[in-house]
Amino acid sequence: AFMQMGQLLGINKYTQYYKAFGFADKTGIDLPGEADDQFFTDMDEVDLAVGSFGQNFKITPIQMITACAAVANGGYVLQPYVVSKITDSDGNVVSARLFQKKHLIR
């Protein structure tokens, strides 16, 4: 079923969706050492078939969580973060991180 859906999408649209969900980019999370994805360099029909059900490409768990969250929040891929703000002992915000929309899924 997934291979048939991939075939209906085609290589160009599949690649477009892959990039729109942010899988081709690092998320920019505030943790050191985020890994790059590993995607097909020249996708052919066999790559599309196996990629359609999740084989032969690698993404990080944080990329997957970010993409799943995009489905839940209206198609917006937001930059994830671990620490949203830092406060001093009096509760004053010393540093704050803003939500950043990366892409709009259409």
Side-chain angles (χ1 to χ4, degrees):
F2 287 112
M3 289 191 297
Q4 289 174 339
M5 285 185 259
Q7 200 172 33
L8 289 171
L9 279 176
I11 292 171
N12 291 335
K13 193 59 119 175
Y14 181 87
T15 303
Q16 178 185 348
Y17 287 157
Y18 182 88
K19 290 177 180 177
F21 272 102
F23 291 140
D25 304 317
K26 290 184 177 184
T27 64
I29 192 166
D30 51 343
L31 291 172
E34 184 176 8
D36 285 325
D37 73 310
Q38 293 179 6
F39 192 61
F40 307 98
T41 51
D42 293 317
M43 183 179 263
D44 60 22
E45 293 296 324
V46 173
D47 294 330
L48 176 63
V50 296
S52 296
F53 59 87
Q55 282 189 336
N56 261 11
F57 65 88
K58 295 176 180 77
I59 58 172
T60 64
I62 195 69
Q63 285 175 310
M64 180 57 77
I65 292 167
T66 303
C68 290
V71 173
N73 65 23
Y76 289 99
V77 177
L78 303 174
Q79 183 178 5
Y81 59 88
V82 177
V83 177
S84 63
K85 64 183 174 181
I86 299 172
T87 59
D88 62 16
S89 59
D90 297 324
N92 300 315
V93 177
V94 175
S95 176
R97 186 165 179 112
L98 301 174
F99 257 152
Q100 294 181 3
K101 295 179 183 176
K102 289 178 69 178
H103 303 283
L104 176 63
I105 307 301
R106 295 178 186 200

